[in-house]
Amino acid sequence: CIPALSYLITTCCTSASYVSLSSHLHFPSSLNSMVDSQYYLPNEIGVASLDCSEAFRLLSPQEKMYAHYLSRAAWYGGLAVLLQTSPESADIFVLLQRIFRKQTPAQLEQVATTTGISSEEYQAFLVYAAGLYANMGNYKSFGDTKFIPNLPKDKLKALVKASQAFQDQPTEMEALWDSCSCLLYSLEDRQKQLGLGDKGITTYFSGNCSLEDAEMAQKFLDSKKLSAYNTRLFKRDNGGKACYEVRLASAVSCNSSVSKYFTQAYAANENQRKMLEEYSRSFTFGSVDAHKEGSRYWIKDKGPIVESYIGFIESYRDPFGSRGEFEGFIAVVNKAMSERFAKLVSSAEVLLPELPWPREFEKDTFLKPDFTSLDVLTFAGSGIPAGINIPNYDDIRQSEGFKNVSLGNVLAVAYATQKDKLTFLQEEDKDLFIKWKGPSFEVQDDMGKFNFDQSKVTNPETGEPVSSWYRGSETWDSKFSTIASSYEECRAECVGLYLCLIKQVLSIFGHEGQDAEDVVYVNWLSMVRAGLLGLEFYTAESKSWRQAHMQARFVILRVLLEAGEGLVGLEEVTGQDGKPDARITLDRSKIHTVGKNAIHRFLCKLQVLKATADVEGGRALYDLYSTVDDGSAHNFVRLRETVLLRKEARKMFVQANTRVSGDSVELVDYESSAAGLIRSFTERFQDDAEQLEADLLELCKRDAPCWC
């Protein structure tokens, strides 16, 4: 999807001049040995295949065609993420595509040997390339930290020049290398992470935009009843005044390949046909209203065999929290697990009164969501979650409903953990953790995303009438902006912790007696451990969080530590290797008392502040528990260093491709390795590779002045 339409806003502001990065960036010719390991991907990083072969085999020929064409739309649309991540991401992507289209990883390895690159260095290059594909950019999708190749720049340059792609087109490849090689290796402070202004890099805003610019633009969009979901903001000088250009993602003036794959020929019903029609209109004209209309038809399409959703969805990576990153998924229903989730939904009206806030904060009629377990065939975007609750449009969620999906084959490999890599737990907890981590996630997953009334009621925290609410076109995202995503994830996680204490919930998933108690224990233990691990995603220099979920889990850790009475223990120790370590303990006998009461109180505060649009109170509460300091009972600044010392890289996923062969669709699988992941991407776009790469380079070139 390409930015084409724009609204020009001229305000009487003093022009802000662009700041040139090139004048003060230092680009090393080789990696400094002291470079923090968080800025490169280790050679031993886990790579796992998302197995969907059996689920795909059981589809009918029509369903396979439907899945194939939606997958193509998702993959082509997902290329927009390159343009949403960093100025150099698309250039690096094209560089890698051209290299690996000419030579497979195995063939290129022979070339690498002749240029003096060791096997470890070549593997580091493959891991970097796989990482760029998996994250759709050179910043980690989970944590927003930049990663660079773990081999010297001069050696990578030698490999590029020795490649067949360079031999065939030396001028073009030289220009391509020159366009991205500096930023590819740069670790200047602002380049280390995504962020707005001097806090990091973003392409949702031009390089001269500040938080104040983002706030001004949001107020304008709200006043015009325009959504920011599919926009980017560019600021330029117009005769001494600041001129703001709001660009919408659309295919009106470019050769976009997304909409052509929304063929209705293989849709199973009228809801799917209408959904595809509205999606096509949305991506053609940049219309969020059309996407919302498509989402309405999607919600009505209950229990399809092939499930999908596509568009500008999650706002985690917009520094202001209002703009959605593109993603698209296509998956096949896992009927056995879906039956359990259906039972949970059927019990929702019984479970909702258990939540710790007055009935007035509930909707008069609960809209039962579709809740299914799926095996992912395609997930295009910057990362693959374990579960999703969509759409994110507040008005639709409140009045028409939503869907919950749990991605079963993602869970199967994402939570496969080796005992020796389980950090910060007591030895006696590790076996239990491994046994019940997956089942506990199923119980925890997405139970917090219910619809709630936002009407004027008495504030249960103060006893006073509610004095704030959402006005006009204000939404949760636009109102709470920078903390909205993490705050909502925290609320959802707290609801999951709270409701998993109810025996009825556990029995739905087949857990009774001691097994049920073990699931509760591991669920809470996992949350406490995740809170400590979350410190990896905190940037001490800017005092900011880079990942919404992990900030949320740290907040919950702080809440449970604050509860006291020995519920949670967090101790700094020395590991067997003589290096700093930490140990977490959880008193299972106090979960149902001390723990439940702590979550009860905190969850009620979160809900009331959200429902009443109390931004000031919500931000004060959330910022308090998000603080990473060394002045409390626990030195979180020092613990962060321990977490970084012992962190483990997140797994990368290899996904299959589909291709039409005559009247049938074939599934093409790849090996679980960096090389396999690379091959999946080079074969994914081979039909129109040259035109596609030319379009990406043109878009990069067009916007390049905006980042200086």
Side-chain angles (χ1 to χ4, degrees):
C1 292
I2 310 304
L5 308 180
S6 64
Y7 290 90
L8 296 182
I9 318 158
T10 303
T11 58
C12 296
C13 302
T14 303
S15 174
S17 60
Y18 287 102
V19 179
S20 173
L21 290 175
S22 59
S23 62
H24 61 268
L25 285 179
H26 171 62
F27 305 115
S29 61
S30 62
L31 284 180
N32 189 315
S33 61
M34 297 301 289
V35 166
D36 194 318
S37 63
Q38 68 177 311
Y39 298 114
Y40 61 80
L41 305 177
N43 279 11
E44 64 277 10
I45 190 171
V47 182
S49 292
L50 283 185
D51 183 16
C52 190
S53 56
E54 181 62 15
F56 188 80
R57 184 184 67 81
L58 295 174
L59 294 178
S60 69
Q62 179 181 340
E63 290 164 345
K64 288 180 179 179
M65 283 290 187
Y66 182 70
H68 166 74
Y69 283 108
L70 279 178
S71 291
R72 301 307 293 160
W75 285 125
Y76 276 90
L79 294 171
V81 179
L82 294 164
L83 303 172
Q84 291 181 296
T85 299
S86 71
E88 66 273 14
S89 286
D91 282 347
I92 300 171
F93 176 87
V94 173
L95 178 72
L96 295 174
Q97 286 289 89
R98 289 186 174 177
I99 289 173
F100 288 115
R101 276 198 294 111
K102 291 290 186 179
Q103 292 169 294
T104 66
Q107 292 169 337
L108 188 65
E109 185 172 17
Q110 299 176 13
V111 177
T113 302
T114 64
T115 62
I117 293 177
S118 69
S119 59
E120 290 80 10
E121 289 170 331
Y122 184 68
Q123 179 63 21
F125 169 61
L126 292 185
V127 165
Y128 175 80
L132 185 120
Y133 288 133
N135 292 277
M136 283 309 284
N138 59 336
Y139 286 76
K140 297 175 187 176
S141 63
F142 201 87
D144 294 343
T145 313
K146 188 173 187 176
F147 59 95
I148 63 176
N150 192 20
L151 74 160
K153 182 179 178 181
D154 54 358
K155 288 196 173 185
L156 179 54
K157 181 178 181 179
L159 177 61
V160 170
K161 288 197 168 187
S163 69
Q164 189 61 50
F166 195 97
Q167 302 305 310
D168 292 348
Q169 294 181 301
T171 303
E172 292 85 346
M173 288 294 288
E174 181 87 47
L176 188 52
W177 169 259
D178 289 343
S179 71
C180 65
S181 59
C182 288
L183 289 175
L184 190 151
Y185 273 95
S186 171
L187 282 178
E188 289 294 314
D189 286 346
R190 188 173 173 230
Q191 301 283 327
K192 289 179 179 178
Q193 65 281 316
L194 299 179
L196 183 58
D198 59 1
K199 291 188 175 181
I201 293 297
T202 180
T203 52
Y204 286 102
F205 300 86
S206 57
N208 58 345
C209 279
S210 64
L211 180 61
E212 290 71 26
D213 295 315
E215 291 171 342
M216 184 193 310
Q218 188 63 56
K219 289 177 181 177
F220 170 82
L221 292 172
D222 287 343
S223 71
K224 300 296 182 183
K225 292 182 170 54
L226 294 170
S227 171
Y229 264 116
N230 64 341
T231 70
R232 297 193 294 167
L233 182 69
F234 291 76
K235 177 182 176 182
R236 58 184 175 83
D237 176 62
N238 184 23
K241 296 180 180 179
C243 179
Y244 296 88
E245 184 177 88
V246 180
R247 298 188 185 179
L248 281 72
S250 77
V252 167
S253 64
C254 68
N255 298 319
S256 174
S257 301
V258 178
S259 296
K260 75 176 185 180
Y261 290 112
F262 287 137
T263 174
Q264 300 175 30
Y266 304 104
N269 53 55
E270 188 63 16
N271 282 324
Q272 289 184 0
R273 281 187 282 274
K274 290 289 188 181
M275 174 190 76
L276 295 176
E277 181 181 327
E278 294 297 335
Y279 284 173
S280 181
R281 188 162 68 91
S282 172
F283 298 136
T284 300
F285 299 107
S287 170
V288 171
D289 286 341
H291 192 268
K292 291 172 74 171
E293 194 64 22
S295 297
R296 291 186 172 97
Y297 287 114
W298 177 72
I299 293 169
K300 293 175 184 177
D301 186 27
K302 302 291 186 182
I305 299 300
V306 177
E307 184 61 282
S308 66
Y309 198 63
I310 187 170
F312 294 88
I313 313 300
E314 303 291 356
S315 57
Y316 300 129
R317 301 183 93 189
D318 169 18
F320 190 67
S322 295
R323 290 154 185 81
E325 184 177 75
F326 191 95
E327 69 180 41
F329 79 86
I330 294 84
V332 182
V333 170
N334 179 321
K335 293 183 179 179
M337 183 56 70
S338 294
E339 288 176 3
R340 295 181 181 180
F341 288 138
K343 290 180 182 178
L344 178 63
V345 171
S346 297
S347 305
E349 290 177 271
V350 178
L351 298 173
L352 282 174
E354 300 290 333
L355 292 169
W357 47 76
R359 184 175 179 80
E360 290 84 357
F361 280 74
E362 301 290 349
K363 284 187 64 67
D364 292 334
T365 303
F366 173 64
L367 299 173
K368 292 183 178 180
D370 211 14
F371 199 168
T372 51
S373 178
L374 308 171
D375 284 343
V376 171
L377 169 65
T378 295
F379 206 112
S382 66
I384 307 177
I388 323 171
N389 177 276
I390 38 183
N392 286 330
Y393 303 120
D394 287 342
D395 52 343
I396 293 179
R397 293 174 63 84
Q398 292 291 328
S399 60
E400 299 173 60
F402 52 95
K403 290 185 181 183
N404 286 295
V405 295
S406 176
L407 306 180
N409 56 345
V410 176
L411 283 171
V413 293
Y415 289 100
T417 307
Q418 296 177 2
K419 186 175 180 179
D420 61 347
K421 292 186 178 181
L422 268 180
T423 54
F424 311 131
L425 294 181
Q426 300 181 103
E427 285 300 314
E428 56 265 34
D429 282 336
K430 290 184 178 181
D431 289 332
L432 205 62
F433 190 95
I434 291 171
K435 179 180 180 180
W436 294 111
K437 174 58 181 172
S440 73
F441 185 89
E442 291 165 359
V443 174
Q444 173 77 7
D445 183 34
D446 281 326
M447 293 198 302
K449 305 293 185 72
F450 296 112
N451 292 316
F452 300 105
D453 192 5
Q454 296 173 346
S455 61
K456 304 174 188 178
V457 294
T458 300
N459 187 322
E461 292 291 303
T462 65
E464 301 292 328
V466 169
S467 58
S468 59
W469 52 86
Y470 294 90
R471 304 172 187 271
S473 59
E474 289 179 341
T475 66
W476 162 248
D477 281 334
S478 69
K479 191 78 173 172
F480 280 70
S481 63
T482 55
I483 66 167
S485 293
S486 184
Y487 188 109
E488 178 60 10
E489 293 300 337
C490 186
R491 193 184 69 88
E493 297 278 29
C494 285
V495 172
L497 287 175
Y498 196 79
L499 292 184
C500 82
L501 300 177
I502 301 173
K503 290 183 178 180
Q504 182 181 351
V505 172
L506 295 163
S507 64
I508 288 172
F509 290 89
H511 306 309
E512 305 282 356
Q514 185 58 47
D515 283 355
E517 288 302 312
D518 287 346
V519 167
V520 169
Y521 176 65
V522 170
N523 195 28
W524 280 62
L525 181 64
S526 176
M527 185 61 67
V528 172
R529 178 174 181 262
L532 179 60
L533 295 177
L535 288 169
E536 175 188 342
F537 304 96
Y538 177 78
T539 301
E541 293 77 10
S542 60
K543 296 184 178 180
S544 61
W545 286 90
R546 307 188 310 274
Q547 215 293 319
H549 299 79
M550 301 310 284
Q551 179 183 1
R553 291 158 188 166
F554 177 78
V555 165
I556 293 172
L557 170 63
R558 293 287 302 257
V559 169
L560 295 178
L561 284 169
E562 183 183 77
E565 300 187 46
L567 172 67
V568 172
L570 176 55
E571 179 187 7
E572 294 184 68
V573 299
T574 300
Q576 293 182 350
D577 56 4
K579 297 177 181 178
D581 206 340
R583 196 69 67 240
I584 293 167
T585 56
L586 173 67
D587 188 338
R588 68 160 68 204
S589 70
K590 296 179 180 178
I591 292 174
H592 288 268
T593 54
V594 180
K596 181 179 179 180
N597 290 338
I599 294 298
H600 179 288
R601 292 189 299 270
F602 187 64
L603 183 53
C604 189
K605 290 178 181 178
L606 290 176
Q607 175 64 16
V608 170
L609 291 166
K610 177 187 177 182
T612 59
D614 186 351
V615 179
E616 184 178 343
R619 190 175 291 278
L621 176 73
Y622 207 65
D623 286 349
L624 174 66
Y625 284 97
S626 297
T627 300
V628 176
D629 57 22
D630 57 3
S632 60
H634 300 91
N635 189 327
F636 289 112
V637 173
R638 191 165 59 227
L639 281 165
R640 174 179 174 270
E641 296 302 317
T642 301
V643 170
L644 289 173
L645 175 68
R646 299 189 177 278
K647 70 182 180 67
E648 181 183 358
R650 290 174 66 85
K651 291 178 181 176
M652 299 188 291
F653 296 115
V654 181
Q655 299 182 60
N657 283 322
T658 56
R659 65 184 176 206
V660 176
S661 179
D663 295 330
S664 62
V665 179
E666 297 177 348
L667 189 70
V668 183
D669 287 313
Y670 301 88
E671 66 178 29
S672 301
S673 67
L677 201 160
I678 291 167
R679 290 199 66 178
S680 72
F681 266 86
T682 53
E683 294 182 12
R684 192 159 285 147
F685 303 105
Q686 58 187 358
D687 293 343
D688 54 358
E690 292 187 4
Q691 183 60 53
L692 187 66
E693 292 163 9
D695 290 342
L696 283 170
L697 293 178
E698 174 58 29
L699 288 167
C700 285
K701 181 179 179 181
R702 187 186 307 170
D703 287 342
C706 300
W707 320 125
C708 297

